[in-house]
Amino acid sequence: MGAGKTTIGKALARRLDYRFVDSDHEVEARTGVSIPTIFEIEGEEGFRRREAQVLAEISRLAGQVVATGGGAVLRPENRQTLRASGVVIYLNVPLPTLYERTRHDRKRPLLQVSDPRQKLRELHTQRDPLYREIADLVITGSRITAQAVQQLLVREMGDSWKR
């Protein structure tokens, strides 16, 4: 959440001449309502169920860069889907940077709590090992660019990332 998945994903897709897909936007497009509304009506579990359906569908297509919601890795079936469908890049951004990027965003239901910094720490503790479990490439830092991601892909994986 706030790591830059959408920004980096869009730029990387342009550089690679791939299609960009944001799984959160796909969920909203298919339901016709915002993610906060889904959380309000169906709770996190309802959202995660919809997210898993979208990931299963979009992962079947080639030639795309997919940005998932930060919690997509919570479900084992999503981790399996992501791992099997392409190269997984984990953007590991420091918690102070995540807080600065998300602190005024009211569209993030999980951060609408009394202590958003603590919530970010909890989410990171829970999700970090899951992302590391499936990641082909872990990029750490607060100033990650699409160009740097592409260069790392080529350097670390050669042409095998184009699967």
Side-chain angles (χ1 to χ4, degrees), residues 138-150:
V138 177
I139 302 175
T140 301
S142 59
R143 299 199 185 277
I144 301 166
T145 66
Q147 182 177 5
V149 171
Q150 185 178 13

Side-chain angles (χ1 to χ4, degrees), residues 5-6 11 32 53 70 96 98-99 116 123 129-130 136 142 149-151 154 157 159:
K5 297 177 300 290
T6 299
Q53 291 169 341
L98 294 179
Y99 177 73
L123 293 172
L130 301 174
D136 294 293
S142 59
V149 171
Q150 185 178 13
Q151 289 170 350
V154 172
M157 304 185 75
D159 283 336

Side-chain angles (χ1 to χ4, degrees), residues 56-118:
E57 290 175 29
I58 63 178
S59 69
R60 294 185 190 114
L61 303 172
Q64 60 185 3
V65 173
V66 177
T68 67
V73 294
L74 296 174
R75 287 184 169 229
E77 66 267 28
N78 289 349
R79 293 194 302 275
Q80 183 178 1
T81 295
L82 293 169
R83 190 78 179 109
S85 64
V87 174
V88 177
I89 302 170
Y90 170 29
L91 303 177
N92 184 22
V93 175
L95 289 172
T97 303
L98 294 179
Y99 177 73
E100 285 306 312
R101 291 179 182 175
T102 60
R103 67 189 183 123
H104 298 297
D105 190 342
R106 298 292 167 228
K107 295 180 182 176
R108 299 181 188 273
L110 293 177
L111 294 183
Q112 305 313 304
V113 295
S114 61
D115 189 351
R117 283 181 207 255
Q118 178 58 31

